[in-house]
């Protein structure tokens, strides 16, 4: 178990646990805070093997709205622990997290990058490939602009591209064989290699520096249909800024095996989570960015389940928060809110409102 205090980032935690040969499921950007990601669920590279970040939360110390310090675990205030596993910062200030860690030191990770004109071929192959993968492999398909990195061919830099990103947390030779259906397509860039787990955790940091304007629109998929693929490619071809992207996260594995009612997290039966990302350093183009993201998300929502990952939600209203959890789970969260924060002190979040 790793004990994590407020303010720690995943880079802090991964750096400490890696020295001992351990890790737990974190996010995709190393300067993300452990607290917020865990309380909202915690999609990450180890989730199909070891569950979400919140699934690894075994206990927490919480300061309630009444100023009481309580411990939440399976044996103490277990209702509160249930709510902390996906219900966000609605029930108190978590002053200590106890997270289960697992024997992970080196992983096979990286990406394969393809020209955008091969998008339909690559995404269809990705769709069929990911269904055959063991829990040790977690993947993501990405629509992006090829970055100005030395490993990217000059004729691809700055242009729309399709990437497949993956992490295999077992024998790297087995992982390399599992990647063959993707690498066998002949990508313009093949960057898969064994690496320390913290290196994979920081691999995407360059695309998410501090201080940017960010707008997300997200949802879940029951399947990645041809219609979804075509709509994604069509709308991304009109992305207005070269930091924009679409992430399609593979779910399943250990995430899906946790009983739906065991935690507050919603969407365990989803096969994929998608996130339309409008990002730039320039506030003057925010309106253009938001309009594009909304149009793309509206087209993709036609193929979605209606649910959404709460950590990808913006300020989208009570209806979307309810959709993130489902009606019965949301009602249970409201009851928990009535018990621990009936005056709604903790409301600057994806807010679970008390009943009155």
């Amino acid at each position: 178990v790793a004990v994590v205090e407020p303010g720690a980032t995943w880079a802090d935690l991964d750096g400490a646990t890696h020295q001992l040969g351990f890790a737990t499921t974190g996010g995709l950007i190393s300067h993300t805070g452990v607290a917020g990601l865990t309380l909202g669920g915690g999609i990450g590279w180890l989730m199909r093997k070891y569950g979400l970040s919140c699934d690894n939360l075994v206990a927490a110390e919480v300061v309630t709205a009444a100023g009481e310090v309580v411990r939440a675990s399976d044996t103490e205030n277990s209702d509160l622990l249930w709510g902390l596993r996906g219900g966000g910062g609605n029930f108190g200030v978590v002053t200590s997290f106890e997270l289960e860690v697992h024997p992970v030191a080196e992983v096979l990770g990286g990406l394969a990058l393809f020209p955008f004109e091969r998008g339909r071929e690559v995404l269809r192959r990705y769709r069929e490939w990911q269904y055959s993968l063991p829990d040790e492999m977690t993947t993501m398909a990405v629509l992006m602009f090829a970055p100005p990195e030395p490993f990217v061919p000059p004729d691809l830099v700055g242009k729309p591209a399709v990437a497949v990103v993956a992490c295999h947390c077992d024998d790297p030779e087995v992982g390399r064989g599992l990647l063959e259906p993707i690498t066998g397509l002949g990508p313009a860039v093949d960057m898969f290699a064994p690496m320390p787990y913290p290196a994979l955790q920081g691999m995407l940091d360059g695309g998410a520096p501090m201080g940017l304007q960010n707008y997300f629109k997200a949802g879940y998929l029951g399947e990645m249909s041809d219609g979804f693929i075509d709509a994604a490619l069509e709308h991304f071809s009109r992305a207005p800024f070269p930091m924009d992207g679409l992430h399609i996260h593979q779910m399943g594995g250990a995430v899906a095996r946790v009983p739906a009612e065991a935690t507050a997290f919603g969407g365990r039966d989803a096969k994929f989570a998608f996130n339309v990302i409008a990002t730039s350093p320039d506030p003057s183009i925010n309106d253009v960015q938001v309009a594009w993201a909304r149009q793309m998300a509206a087209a993709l929502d036609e193929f979605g389940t209606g649910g959404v990952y709460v950590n990808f939600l913006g300020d989208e209203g009570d209806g979307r928060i309810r959709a993130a959890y489902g009606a019965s789970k949301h009602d249970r969260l409201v009851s928990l809110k009535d018990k621990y924060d009936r005056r709604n002190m903790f409301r600057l979040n994806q807010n679970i409102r008390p009943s009155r």
Side-chain angles (χ1 to χ4, degrees), residues 3-28:
V3 179
V4 187
E5 295 183 347
T9 66
W10 286 102
D12 297 327
L13 175 57
D14 293 336
T17 58
H18 182 68
Q19 295 180 45
L20 302 172
F22 290 96
T24 195
T25 306
L28 304 179

Side-chain angles (χ1 to χ4, degrees), residues 28-346:
L28 304 179
I29 304 297
S30 70
H31 54 73
T32 302
V34 173
L37 187 94
T38 300
L39 292 174
I43 286 175
W45 291 120
L46 301 179
M47 66 179 174
R48 284 173 39 81
K49 177 65 174 178
Y50 296 116
L52 302 162
S53 302
C54 71
D55 297 332
N56 290 281
L57 180 64
V58 296
E61 179 186 83
V62 183
V63 180
T64 69
E68 299 173 339
V69 180
V70 301
R71 179 175 169 82
S73 70
D74 286 334
T75 58
E76 304 169 82
N77 302 298
S78 58
D79 60 340
L80 179 57
L81 181 65
W82 178 90
L84 297 177
R85 288 171 166 164
N90 274 287
F91 311 107
V93 178
V94 181
T95 49
S96 179
F97 296 80
E98 296 178 24
L99 294 165
E100 184 178 2
V101 295
H102 309 277
V104 177
E106 186 176 81
V107 298
L108 178 71
L111 62 82
L113 190 68
F114 299 85
F116 192 73
E117 54 267 24
R118 297 189 66 188
R120 185 172 288 106
E121 172 196 11
V122 173
L123 290 179
R124 287 179 173 178
R125 172 67 63 86
Y126 171 79
R127 175 183 62 196
E128 301 309 316
W129 170 67
Q130 59 84 35
Y131 283 120
S132 68
L133 294 176
D135 294 352
E136 288 77 14
M137 182 82 85
T138 299
T139 71
M140 177 173 67
V142 181
L143 303 187
M144 58 184 289
F145 288 81
E149 298 289 350
F151 57 81
V152 177
D155 61 343
L156 199 56
V157 170
K159 295 181 179 179
V162 181
V164 175
V165 193
C167 168
H168 183 261
C169 61
D170 203 345
D171 185 335
E173 289 304 312
V174 173
R176 178 59 80 172
L178 291 169
L179 288 168
E180 175 58 31
I182 298 299
T183 57
L185 288 174
V189 175
D190 178 352
M191 292 289 291
F192 289 110
M195 63 182 70
Y197 175 69
L200 178 67
Q201 282 286 79
M203 184 179 69
L204 302 180
D205 285 3
M210 296 288 192
L212 297 180
Q213 309 290 302
N214 294 285
Y215 184 81
F216 293 175
K217 294 288 284 186
Y220 287 129
L221 297 173
E223 62 174 330
M224 189 192 298
S225 66
D226 287 348
F228 174 87
I229 290 172
D230 291 344
L233 293 169
E234 176 189 350
H235 284 271
F236 191 76
S237 70
R238 299 196 289 269
F241 195 78
M243 294 183 74
D244 296 336
L246 172 68
H247 291 177
I248 306 167
H249 301 264
Q250 178 195 20
M251 304 289 281
V255 177
R257 285 194 294 274
V258 175
E261 296 303 319
T263 69
F265 180 81
R268 290 196 182 272
D269 58 346
K271 298 297 190 297
F272 303 93
F274 69 86
N275 192 20
V276 180
I277 301 171
T279 294
S280 89
D282 185 359
S284 70
I285 65 170
N286 280 358
D287 289 348
V288 173
Q289 288 275 75
V290 169
W292 166 75
R294 287 178 174 173
Q295 289 168 4
M296 183 168 184
L300 301 183
D301 282 344
E302 176 185 344
F303 307 97
T305 66
V308 61
Y309 175 36
V310 71
N311 277 347
F312 289 162
L313 269 180
D315 185 6
E316 300 181 39
D318 290 345
R320 288 289 278 163
I321 296 171
R322 191 175 182 87
Y325 296 107
S328 64
K329 200 169 286 190
H330 186 270
D331 290 346
R332 184 174 172 182
L333 287 167
V334 170
S335 296
L336 200 63
K337 186 76 167 180
D338 288 345
K339 178 178 179 179
Y340 287 100
D341 185 21
R342 64 186 179 87
R343 297 184 184 276
N344 205 15
M345 175 182 287
F346 303 111

